[in-house]
Amino acid sequence: MKTTAFDFEKITEKYGNDKTRLMDMLIDIQQELGYVPQEALPVLARKTDTSQAWVEQTLSFYHFFRRQPSGKYTVFLNKSVVSWMMGRERVARTFEEEAGCRFGEVSPDGLIGLFDTSCIGMSDQEPAALINGKVFTRLTPFRVREIVRNMRSGKPVTELSTSGYGGGRNALEVIRSEVRNNIQRKGPLLQDNYQYGEVLRQKLKTLSPEDVIREIQLSELRGRGGAGFPTGLKWEFCRKAKGERKFIFCNADEGEPGTFKDRVLLTEYPELVFEGMTLAAYAVGAREGILYIRYEYKYLEEHLHTVLRKLREENLLGKDIAGMQGFDFDIRIQYGAGAYVCGEESALLESAEGKRGEPRFKPPFPVEKGYLGFPTIINNVETLCDAVKIIHFGSEWYRSLGTEASKGTKVLSISGDCRYPGIYELEWGYTVNDILDMSGAEEVQAVQVGGPSGTLIGPEEFDRILCYNDLATGGSFIIFNQRRDLLRNVVLNFMEFFIEESCGSCVPCRNMPWLLKQKLEKILNGHGVWKDLEDLESWPGIMRINRCGLGQTAANPVISSLRNFRALYEERIQKGRSFDEGFELEKAVEESCKAVGRVPLI
Amino acid sequence: MGKEKEYVTITIDDQEIQARPGEFIVDVARRHGIYIPVLCNLKGVKPAGSCRICTVLVNGRPMTSCTTPVADGMEITTRSPELEDFRRSVIEILFVEGNHFCPACEKSGNCELQALAYRFEIMVPRYPYQFPHREIDASWPLLLKDHNRCVLCKRCIRTIFDKEGHPIFAFRNRGHELEITIDPEYGKNMTDEMARQAAENCPVGALLYRKKHGFEIPIGKRKYDKEPIGSDVEKRKKEKVS
Ligand SMILES: Cc1cc2nc3c(=O)[nH]c(=O)nc-3n(C[C@H](O)[C@H](O)[C@H](O)COP(=O)(O)O)c2cc1C
Ligand code: SF4
């Protein structure tokens, strides 16, 4: 490899040799070389005045950082539940046959590397893969053969696919992606009844920061990222917090499997997202904003930079915004590198500071002590868009939408077994049945509401209502029809997801999903007994004491499937047997017996 | 708002207690003779909150007492059947996660994990042993690192730095694959003092100081062989009461 010639110092200098920009440095190296070579570590450590162990701590945390050359074309094929449902198995097999290597390996000629990855935010068009950062969706064995053929003839990654560009802005020169928006239902947020910049240019002339906060509070807007914290209150805390600097973060990590609405918002409405950040900055008195976005959405990078440039030119970012003296605010983009936990707000801050994405303990909360120790707002993409529309149309208008306790609308990401997967903007208050009807779902066995960390419900509960005091959700809604094997294909897949995504800090979160998965496998392999069901019921209790939401919810797939689909477990366990070691001794020693030419003495 | 109050009043297990704002619950409790088991916590060092053993109920919600500062009016429960079971469960998980062969371990009797298991009278863990394959790293002149015994408490990461403050220990990987690494540069230049300190801070036998004679004090006469972990804290209470 010619990496010795690579100038790592140029990259550290680009970021002022600042240790807190380590993520950007590593991402740049990864982009340039396709992996981060060992030689980079001493240089990065020396230039940023830290140790190699520290650099490696960050480097080894994130899934997309490769330590070895990973192919001229590096394929990351999604292995989320919907990908499997839509035919991942045959797609994966075709990749292996055509490339001549297995997943987890690089082809002998070094041309193609095949790797798995967690949900990439394309559940409405699976199976999907990232190849050198570009997204390929709706893959079939035929298309895979075509793609690999094109790789072999040396085509650039932009020319591997023959499919046309997705609709809307996906076709822009700066995106040129086959990703489709699949906007199936527009509500007040997605309707094109608003010209970006109007709030900044007109409304803020008559509203003080306190007025803005009051209006948001009156609207009863709650965070759309999942936790549902009142947005106005968060802004008020941050306004009151003392700090020389303040920061506005937009959380675009969107890692919950089955969610993809932020992808669409960032594709079609980035002006609204950035205006929401600017509005928050006005309200709390911040000058610096950061969009933290998952690596999977790297294909939107040029698009987002183009929009930021445009907004600066139009004086909607930068100095004296919209002619308001002293209102300065600008936004930079921070990429992640593959870690679901970095969607948790304090892990996100750690990551943005160049560290491993380990959630912080709270208190202190980010509004008091956030990015680099300064008061910080972190809001979901959708929340920020809502805020702009609330200031534009008024809190009263917003409160007229939704239910008594849950105001406004929610953008849902609907996928799985339905005719029209995509995003649906709905007022709070629809039932699960309504949504199944809307999306053309039939013979439904179960729905996963809120992604793996949410709940799996069956038909008896389809009259439940989507709102904060019944079925609250960050937006993931995955439908399973009657042919799906819920335990083997859904619950097991979700447990594997949590095992891979735990940061590993807390003892229960690091181990319990693993222990539960072993139990589940034992039952699926026909070795289960009653005691195993009892264990599955009692063991997860300890997950409550984990530090962050990931660990606190990581046993939910087991808990909710056991509660709502108990029969599926019971029909698989052995009746009339109280103990089973979980394996067949004869089978387990078969190989060694053969090797030494003995008959097992059992 | 005025100046911050000098003292806050909290209740720990129905006992009313005055404490300075900002103090961590575990330290206040300790001072009052109430022992909350800890493993990753090391007095005076920035807490990690990772083992979760010190979880208590603060106004009914589980919180780690090593990371939560006291605030006025807090009602804290340190003991309940559920909390005891959480603690036991954490200890059992740690025993099945690694490979802990106590009788052959230099730290036996001084090991905090072992001592906790004794205190909680754990005979057999409810979880299946994982028997993972783990490496012993004997490449350092002053330290032996045995990943079989590591509980990932981060004590070494949090306490050992070189003269300029560079971290010498760090994590590698995440989740189930998490492990401790030693920096290739700074690790080589570790002083005797640093190595001894690292081994001393390690609650288990994952870091051993190589210049020390093994088994100088025979097993049976070591710290926790004499009295259970936490006894020193609880003695304070007895003295106060009498
Ligand atoms: C494991 C985990 C992952 C999360 N991922 C996201 C995410 O991708 N996007 C998001 O907005 N919030 C996510 N959250 C919630 C954030 O911690 C935080 O509550 C949210 O960003 C706040 O914004 P909001 O109030 O506008 O919802 C996640 C939380 C946890 C525990
Ligand atoms: S709960 Fe899991 S992901 Fe969250 S901090 Fe603990 S170990 Fe990390």
Side-chain angles (χ1 to χ4, degrees), chain A residues 61 340-342 344 346-347 356-361 498 501-511 513 543 545-554, chain B residues 49-50 52 175 178:
Chain A
F61 186 82
Y340 162 63
V341 70
C342 289
E344 196 279 339
S346 63
R356 65 182 240 115
E358 182 176 315
R360 300 174 179 174
F361 42 82
F498 286 121
E501 299 297 336
S502 161
C503 86
S505 173
C506 308
V507 173
C509 176
R510 185 171 73 232
N511 292 284
M543 298 299 272
I545 69 169
N546 284 312
R547 180 187 300 169
C548 86
L550 189 153
Q552 287 158 8
T553 59
Chain B
S50 64
R52 320 304 290 172
L178 194 62

Side-chain angles (χ1 to χ4, degrees), chain A residues 150-192:
Chain A
N150 287 334
M151 289 173 175
R152 294 230 179 274
S153 62
K155 289 199 176 161
V157 71
T158 46
E159 289 168 27
L160 292 180
S161 172
T162 48
S163 92
Y165 302 133
R169 294 170 116 177
N170 288 301
L172 289 179
E173 180 76 25
V174 286
I175 305 183
R176 292 198 166 208
S177 170
E178 64 186 65
V179 175
R180 292 181 181 170
N181 287 330
N182 291 327
I183 302 176
Q184 308 287 14
R185 194 173 196 278
K186 288 189 176 188
L189 179 65
L190 300 180
Q191 246 151 39
D192 306 304

Side-chain angles (χ1 to χ4, degrees), chain A residues 19 45 49-54 56-58 60-63 67 118 338-340 356 358 361-363 499-508 510-512 514-515 518-519 531 535 538-539 541-548 552, chain B residues 24 46-53 55 57 60-64 67-69 82 85-87 89-90 93-94 96-97 126-128 130 151-152 154 157 166-176 178 181-186:
Chain A
K19 187 168 84 166
D49 192 27
T50 181
S51 62
Q52 292 182 51
W54 173 274
E56 197 186 11
Q57 177 168 275
T58 298
S60 62
F61 186 82
Y62 297 91
H63 161 77
R67 306 292 296 274
S118 295
Y340 162 63
R356 65 182 240 115
E358 182 176 315
F361 42 82
K362 303 165 195 169
I499 289 168
E500 264 165 51
E501 299 297 336
S502 161
C503 86
S505 173
C506 308
V507 173
R510 185 171 73 232
N511 292 284
M512 186 51 71
W514 184 270
L515 295 170
Q518 285 178 345
K519 273 273 180 223
K531 175 75 170 62
D535 289 343
S538 65
W539 287 3
I542 191 166
M543 298 299 272
R544 269 180 69 208
I545 69 169
N546 284 312
R547 180 187 300 169
C548 86
Q552 287 158 8
Chain B
F24 293 118
K46 187 177 178 282
S50 64
C51 76
R52 320 304 290 172
I53 277 188
T55 299
L57 297 180
R61 284 191 51 206
M63 308 272 276
T64 39
T67 64
T68 310
E82 189 191 37
D85 189 54
F86 285 157
R87 289 172 191 153
S89 177
V90 167
I93 290 176
L94 286 171
V96 303
E97 179 188 24
R126 73 194 85 168
Y127 313 111
Q130 300 297 305
V151 291
L152 301 162
K154 272 193 181 179
I157 298 183
H166 299 119
I168 298 178
F169 294 86
F171 271 154
R172 177 158 57 203
N173 302 329
R174 71 185 187 204
H176 213 246
L178 194 62
T181 56
I182 300 179
D183 186 77
E185 275 305 307
Y186 299 112

Side-chain angles (χ1 to χ4, degrees), chain B:
Chain B
M1 294 242 281
K3 251 177 62 179
E4 246 188 281
K5 277 207 246 174
E6 234 169 292
Y7 284 100
V8 296
T9 308
I10 59 172
T11 44
I12 304 185
D13 299 336
D14 298 327
Q15 185 185 344
E16 211 176 272
I17 285 173
Q18 304 244 302
R20 282 183 293 278
E23 265 187 299
F24 293 118
I25 293 172
V26 73
D27 295 326
V28 176
R30 189 183 282 138
R31 208 173 47 241
H32 285 83
I34 301 165
Y35 171 64
I36 302 172
V38 294
L39 182 59
C40 65
N41 192 250
L42 196 58
K43 216 177 152 204
V45 176
K46 187 177 178 282
S50 64
C51 76
R52 320 304 290 172
I53 277 188
C54 72
T55 299
V56 295
L57 297 180
V58 177
N59 303 330
R61 284 191 51 206
M63 308 272 276
T64 39
S65 58
C66 72
T67 64
T68 310
V70 293
D72 212 14
M74 264 185 183
E75 288 187 20
I76 297 156
T77 311
T78 72
R79 240 158 253 245
S80 76
E82 189 191 37
L83 287 173
E84 296 293 291
D85 189 54
F86 285 157
R87 289 172 191 153
R88 198 182 299 267
S89 177
V90 167
I91 299 164
E92 291 177 27
I93 290 176
L94 286 171
F95 270 99
V96 303
E97 179 188 24
N99 298 309
H100 298 276
F101 304 118
C102 302
C105 180
E106 158 61 27
K107 201 75 177 239
S108 182
N110 289 325
C111 168
E112 294 177 39
L113 179 67
Q114 183 194 44
L116 283 166
Y118 279 133
R119 188 179 162 116
F120 282 84
E121 296 177 345
I122 290 167
M123 307 302 283
V124 186
R126 73 194 85 168
Y127 313 111
Y129 282 106
Q130 300 297 305
F131 300 119
H133 176 82
R134 291 194 171 166
E135 302 290 335
I136 295 176
D137 178 4
S139 63
W140 306 100
L142 300 174
L143 273 180
L144 183 84
K145 182 168 81 84
D146 187 348
H147 185 38
N148 287 292
R149 303 165 182 168
C150 180
V151 291
L152 301 162
C153 65
K154 272 193 181 179
R155 282 192 188 175
C156 53
I157 298 183
R158 286 177 288 151
T159 54
I160 310 297
F161 300 88
D162 85 333
K163 284 191 296 296
E164 275 91 49
H166 299 119
I168 298 178
F169 294 86
F171 271 154
R172 177 158 57 203
N173 302 329
R174 71 185 187 204
H176 213 246
E177 320 225 304
L178 194 62
E179 60 181 344
I180 295 282
T181 56
I182 300 179
D183 186 77
E185 275 305 307
Y186 299 112
K188 261 192 308 215
N189 304 326
M190 224 185 291
T191 63
D192 267 313
E193 184 44 36
M194 287 176 189
R196 195 178 316 115
Q197 195 64 51
E200 202 167 291
N201 290 350
C202 180
V204 291
L207 291 176
L208 297 177
Y209 180 52
R210 296 184 79 160
K211 285 196 179 165
K212 195 178 138 187
H213 277 265
F215 297 92
E216 245 166 17
I217 303 174
I219 290 181
K221 298 202 165 152
R222 296 173 173 196
K223 192 170 172 195
Y224 303 119
D225 294 330
K226 293 179 201 143
E227 48 181 23
I229 191 167
S231 309
D232 49 335
V233 174
E234 283 164 329
K235 253 185 234 153
R236 256 176 246 167
K237 184 162 195 165
K238 290 198 193 96
E239 281 156 20
K240 254 179 45 185
V241 174
S242 57

Side-chain angles (χ1 to χ4, degrees), chain A residues 14-221:
Chain A
K14 180 173 161 198
Y15 298 101
N17 296 324
D18 179 356
K19 187 168 84 166
T20 69
R21 300 299 297 276
L22 189 55
M23 284 293 281
D24 305 82
M25 298 172 193
L26 293 169
I27 289 171
D28 279 9
I29 296 171
Q30 166 84 33
Q31 290 279 115
E32 291 262 343
L33 299 173
Y35 74 112
V36 182
Q38 199 63 23
E39 307 95 88
L41 269 60
V43 184
L44 263 60
R46 180 166 41 82
K47 296 296 282 186
T48 62
D49 192 27
T50 181
S51 62
Q52 292 182 51
W54 173 274
V55 175
E56 197 186 11
Q57 177 168 275
T58 298
L59 176 61
S60 62
F61 186 82
Y62 297 91
H63 161 77
F64 285 113
F65 290 141
R66 311 304 305 173
R67 306 292 296 274
Q68 254 86 47
S70 298
K72 185 173 165 226
Y73 302 95
T74 314
V75 179
F76 284 98
L77 181 62
N78 182 11
K79 59 164 178 189
S80 78
V81 67
V82 183
S83 179
W84 285 101
M85 288 161 68
M86 299 299 149
R88 177 194 143 109
E89 193 163 357
R90 286 184 60 211
V91 166
R93 209 175 325 125
T94 313
F95 261 124
E96 292 186 335
E97 281 162 15
E98 297 297 310
C101 65
R102 311 296 302 257
F103 269 81
E105 296 173 356
V106 180
S107 62
D109 55 2
L111 188 70
I112 303 168
L114 299 179
F115 303 95
D116 290 321
T117 194
S118 295
C119 185
I120 62 173
M122 301 288 157
S123 292
D124 53 339
Q125 41 206 307
E126 291 292 343
L130 293 168
I131 304 178
N132 293 3
K134 227 177 143 49
V135 186
F136 293 77
T137 69
R138 288 163 278 128
L139 292 170
T140 57
F142 186 90
R143 287 196 61 211
V144 170
R145 279 192 288 274
E146 205 167 54
I147 286 169
V148 176
R149 238 191 341 267
N150 287 334
M151 289 173 175
R152 294 230 179 274
S153 62
K155 289 199 176 161
V157 71
T158 46
E159 289 168 27
L160 292 180
S161 172
T162 48
S163 92
Y165 302 133
R169 294 170 116 177
N170 288 301
L172 289 179
E173 180 76 25
V174 286
I175 305 183
R176 292 198 166 208
S177 170
E178 64 186 65
V179 175
R180 292 181 181 170
N181 287 330
N182 291 327
I183 302 176
Q184 308 287 14
R185 194 173 196 278
K186 288 189 176 188
L189 179 65
L190 300 180
Q191 246 151 39
D192 306 304
N193 55 0
Y194 173 73
Q195 173 61 36
Y196 74 85
E198 278 182 29
V199 160
L200 297 185
R201 287 213 180 87
Q202 286 156 28
K203 292 283 168 183
L204 293 192
K205 297 256 145 66
T206 58
L207 294 173
S208 70
E210 288 82 1
D211 293 337
V212 170
I213 292 176
R214 195 168 324 114
E215 197 64 14
I216 299 291
Q217 279 180 340
L218 286 173
S219 76
E220 296 177 36
L221 174 65

